[in-house]
């Protein structure tokens, strides 16, 4: 394209949008989620010791480090094959609603408040090291799966408010697979609701920072505190269990805040597009002008 300014001609190259090796697709975004659910259902076995999973070194290795490490490698290979790393891990547009930072910040405070309750002498050092590695694998896999690949696929077809709802709901429903592993239905329903609410706070962490690192670390820190407290503190130790209970109740209140804040952020992102669709149907001003009839001349008799 050539433009003339006086006697001098300048040539501007056409603007090209970045193209990914594989175009974003809702089916490709959902495929890893469906595959993970299918594999988890196939591997699950009803067990009376479900409540003690992750309580020993052997259980941490067998239930967290090895399976989650393999899952991370497979998912990373999938994202690499699609060429989705730039869009699955980075949001170029961050939310400007800084008050929504309150929810992720309070969840981080909850994670820190749990650490003094852990009985560090109840387990060997290698247990906590392996637990840290295991929950980090969990954070990387689940966040890349739900706040990464799934988000890319959902954004292909849904407005951001729908993306927020679907990603949180699917993240929560994934935890319903715990029933197949021996968890009680009532306990699992609570886990599903909790996970869906937690997903909104993790969504906020991505939208506020613009990348996937913050939700990964927040997810890992939450799992570390939860498992470490349950593995080292006996239920009869009221001096530790009572504060842990109050911290859990406070966390539910914080997650309710995260749920509301995540909805506001997603709804605000849709507002411009929604108004754009609305105003495209409004006729031009000229078509709304009231036409005044010209005064009639008296007719000849």
């Amino acid at each position: 394209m050539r433009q003339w300014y006086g006697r001098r001609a300048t040539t501007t190259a056409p603007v090209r949008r970045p193209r990914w090796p594989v175009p974003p697709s809702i089916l490709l975004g959902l495929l890893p989620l469906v595959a993970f659910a299918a594999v988890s259902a196939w591997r699950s076995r009803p067990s009376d010791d479900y409540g003690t999973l992750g309580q020993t070194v052997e259980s941490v290795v067998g239930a967290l480090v090895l399976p989650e490490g393999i899952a991370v490698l497979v998912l990373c290979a999938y994202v690499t094959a699609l060429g989705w790393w730039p869009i699955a891990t980075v949001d170029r547009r961050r939310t400007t609603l800084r008050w929504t930072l309150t929810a992720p910040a309070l969840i981080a405070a909850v994670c820190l408040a749990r650490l003094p309750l852990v009985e560090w002498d109840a387990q060997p050092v290698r247990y906590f090291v392996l637990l840290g590695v295991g929950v980090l694998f969990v954070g990387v896999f689940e966040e890349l799966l739900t706040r990464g690949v799934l988000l890319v696929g959902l954004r292909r077809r849904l407005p951001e408010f729908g993306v927020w709802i679907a990603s949180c709901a699917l993240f929560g429903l994934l935890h319903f697979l715990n029933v197949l592993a021996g968890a009680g239905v009532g306990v699992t329903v609570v886990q599903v609701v909790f996970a869906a609410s937690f997903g909104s706070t993790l969504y906020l962490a991505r939208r506020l920072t613009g990348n996937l690192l913050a939700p990964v670390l927040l997810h890992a820190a939450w799992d570390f505190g939860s498992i470490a407290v349950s593995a080292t503190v006996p239920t009869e130790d009221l001096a530790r269990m009572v504060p842990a209970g109050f911290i859990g109740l406070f966390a539910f209140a914080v997650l309710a805040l995260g749920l509301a804040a995540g909805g506001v952020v997603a709804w605000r992102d849709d507002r411009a597009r929604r108004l754009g669709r609305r105003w495209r149907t409004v006729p031009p001003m000229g078509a709304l002008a009231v036409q005044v009839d010209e005064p009639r001349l008296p007719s000849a008799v």
Side-chain angles (χ1 to χ4, degrees):
M1 181 183 298
R2 178 167 294 181
Q3 298 177 352
W4 292 88
Y5 299 95
R7 297 181 178 179
R8 185 176 180 181
T10 60
T11 303
T12 58
V15 178
R16 295 182 179 180
R17 295 181 178 180
R19 300 186 63 181
W20 314 110
V22 178
S25 164
I26 191 170
L27 294 178
L28 293 176
L30 288 170
L31 181 60
L33 188 76
V34 175
F36 170 69
V39 172
S40 298
W42 174 70
R43 291 183 63 249
S44 296
R45 56 176 180 82
S47 174
D48 294 335
D49 62 346
Y50 172 81
T52 62
L53 293 177
Q55 308 295 294
T56 63
V57 173
E58 293 75 14
S59 182
V60 168
V61 173
L64 289 177
V65 177
L66 289 180
E68 295 295 337
I70 295 172
V72 167
L73 291 176
V74 173
L75 185 58
C76 287
Y78 181 77
V79 177
T80 301
L82 295 179
W84 282 12
W85 284 108
I87 49 178
T89 59
V90 177
D91 270 334
R92 294 185 178 180
R93 180 184 176 186
R94 303 181 186 181
T95 179
T96 58
L97 300 178
R98 295 304 175 190
W99 65 267
T100 60
L101 181 62
T102 305
L106 288 177
I107 288 297
V110 168
C111 295
L112 292 175
R114 280 176 169 170
L115 296 181
L117 301 178
V118 177
E119 187 65 46
W120 298 98
D121 296 333
Q123 294 282 0
V125 175
R126 67 179 182 278
Y127 170 84
F128 295 105
V129 173
L130 291 171
L131 180 60
V133 174
V135 296
L136 185 59
F137 283 162
V138 172
V140 171
F141 174 72
E142 294 192 3
E143 293 310 303
L144 184 58
L145 178 71
T146 54
R147 254 71 59 182
V149 176
L150 179 62
L151 220 65
V152 172
L154 293 175
R155 282 174 172 171
R156 184 65 175 175
R157 292 295 181 185
L158 299 177
E160 191 66 17
F161 191 72
V163 169
W164 168 73
I165 293 176
S167 62
C168 293
L170 291 173
F171 180 64
L173 290 175
L174 275 180
H175 292 75
F176 202 76
L177 294 171
N178 293 337
V179 172
L180 302 178
V185 176
V187 175
T188 304
V189 170
V190 174
Q191 290 178 344
V192 168
V193 175
F194 183 88
S197 303
F198 190 35
S200 180
T201 303
L202 296 171
Y203 167 86
L204 276 176
R206 170 173 175 144
R207 294 301 316 280
L208 285 162
T209 62
N211 61 73
L212 209 59
L213 180 61
V216 166
L217 295 179
L218 197 61
H219 194 150
W222 178 271
D223 287 349
F224 184 90
S226 299
I227 298 174
V229 169
S230 63
T232 62
V233 180
T235 55
E236 59 271 12
D237 188 353
L238 297 181
R240 295 177 183 268
M241 292 303 297
V242 171
F246 280 112
I247 290 174
L249 292 176
F250 177 73
F252 267 101
V254 174
L255 292 181
L257 172 63
L259 197 62
V264 170
V265 168
W267 181 268
R268 187 172 182 270
D269 285 346
D270 283 342
R271 184 174 57 184
R273 293 171 56 185
R274 186 178 296 108
L275 289 176
R277 289 193 296 269
R278 175 184 174 187
W279 284 103
R280 277 199 299 268
T281 63
V282 175
M285 291 298 295
L288 300 178
V290 178
Q291 295 181 357
V292 181
D293 294 337
E294 296 179 359
R296 295 181 179 181
L297 297 176
S299 56
V301 179

